[in-house]
Amino acid sequence: QVQLVESGGGLVQPGGSLRLSCAISGSISSIYAMNWYRQAPGKQREFVAVISNVLSTNYADSVKGRFAISRDNAKNTVYLQMNSLKPEDTAVYYCNAQYGTGGLFESWGQGTQVTVSS
């Protein structure tokens, strides 16, 4: 199994930056891909970004050019650098791991709140 703990959320003004971290433990070698999702109040959880085990990345259109996902294997941590933040980026951000053969299994972190407001 894989365990995930997010950190780094907080309150930031529009146009500001935050970096989220996701600490990974457990069966790290079985991880197929790492994702960030977010859920705003009253909305469904939505995909934000993914980084695969070969370090390819993909992003939701709404965050392309502003957010960057990265992975530090030595620290067993995945990051989400968020720049040029907008009020509509306000949400609880969740780290997600797909692991096992072909990413058959999933694990979720507890989430970290990001609030973008003046």
Side-chain angles (χ1 to χ4, degrees):
Q1 291 191 350
V2 173
Q3 294 80 42
L4 307 172
V5 178
E6 301 99 332
S7 61
L11 173 64
V12 63
Q13 292 187 341
S17 298
L18 277 177
R19 188 177 78 160
L20 305 183
S21 300
C22 175
I24 309 166
S25 60
S27 300
I28 295 172
S29 62
S30 69
I31 292 175
Y32 179 79
M34 294 294 301
N35 303 273
W36 285 97
Y37 284 77
R38 67 186 181 186
Q39 187 167 18
K43 294 188 176 181
Q44 290 189 332
R45 191 171 297 188
E46 64 176 4
F47 167 78
V48 175
V50 60
I51 185 165
S52 75
N53 55 0
V54 294
L55 302 183
S56 63
T57 60
N58 197 19
Y59 299 89
D61 288 343
S62 58
V63 306
K64 277 182 183 176
R66 301 188 299 122
F67 290 12
I69 189 170
S70 62
R71 180 170 178 170
D72 186 333
N73 289 331
K75 295 183 178 180
N76 294 329
T77 302
V78 171
Y79 301 99
L80 185 67
Q81 178 66 44
M82 306 186 294
N83 300 324
S84 302
L85 283 161
K86 305 175 181 180
E88 51 264 43
D89 294 317
T90 295
V92 177
Y93 283 71
Y94 296 91
C95 185
N96 165 276
Q98 296 171 271
Y99 64 98
T101 303
L104 180 63
F105 302 102
E106 280 192 311
S107 182
W108 292 88
Q110 82 287 353
T112 186
Q113 176 71 47
V114 172
T115 302
V116 185
S117 175
S118 54

